[in-house]
Amino acid sequence: MRAPVLIFGVAAVAFSVCPPVDAQQPENPSYQLSVGNGTSAPGGSVTLPVLLTNDGSDIQGWSFGICLDDTEIVVDSAALGSTTQTIRLGDPPDFEQINIEPGGWTMGVVICFFACAILPQGTDYELAVADYSVLAGVGSNIPVCPCSTIGQPPINAVVVINGISVPPVKICGNVQVQPLIPFVRADTNADTFLDLSDAIWILNHLFQGGPAFNCNGANDANGDGSLDTADPIYIILYYFAGGVAPPAPFPTCGFLANQSLGDCVVFPGCP
């Protein structure tokens, strides 16, 4: 991705809602506005970027709405993306507005009122990031889409080129809703028993490049949030020296109080 290039002079920057874009104006494939993809458990959260690829001319500003089905997913917050934060001479743009609306949210940006900076050709510029709460159940695939139907008045999805609004190609993101995986803390080899083999399994993984199941919760035997030498030592002390038992979920399969998908991806020891 290229950094924004500086130009100097005076520019006529068109606000995307005045005049409105002709409904018959085709999307220009030189510009692609997309939402990222993500995964979440039911009731979990996910962060998705809004990205812009510019294969055309210098961009002076942009606007868009993001549409969603708020019976399946709701937006909690939205903020400037990494590109937008420094787009004007290392600073945020001269004008930026983000609004949370029923059924989605909107963004409008003018980079510089006096043409001091533009967005040149480049790939996957991060315009914004938004946090969402997932309401839909397991197996759902939730679309989150750029659109021109959100806001009062509706905010058009456009990029501004030489003061003219140009509709980009709009590409939806998708949130897959997956089930949480139950596990047993400290049963690192997922054989349904906690014993010396679990400590050896982790030591082999840490120091010999051995295998490990992608289940951070099970591997984190002492529950301190990290996988290191303290975990096999904790198992040995519990198993041989009457040490403190591992935190829940233990000794049977279960979940963390606020478990996310990343806490355990694979654990064959639980049904």
Side-chain angles (χ1 to χ4, degrees), residues 42-105:
S45 61
V46 64
T47 300
L48 303 178
V50 178
L51 305 174
L52 178 65
T53 291
N54 176 12
D55 294 324
S57 301
D58 294 339
I59 293 172
Q60 298 166 303
W62 62 82
S63 66
F64 57 80
I66 298 296
C67 290
L68 49 83
D69 181 347
D70 53 17
T71 66
E72 294 189 318
I73 190 170
V74 294
V75 58
D76 299 318
S77 63
L80 302 184
S82 58
T83 298
T84 311
Q85 289 173 12
T86 59
I87 199 168
R88 185 184 61 81
L89 308 175
D91 293 322
D94 275 345
F95 172 83
E96 55 88 7
Q97 183 70 40
I98 293 176
N99 292 323
I100 306 298
E101 304 282 356
W105 58 280

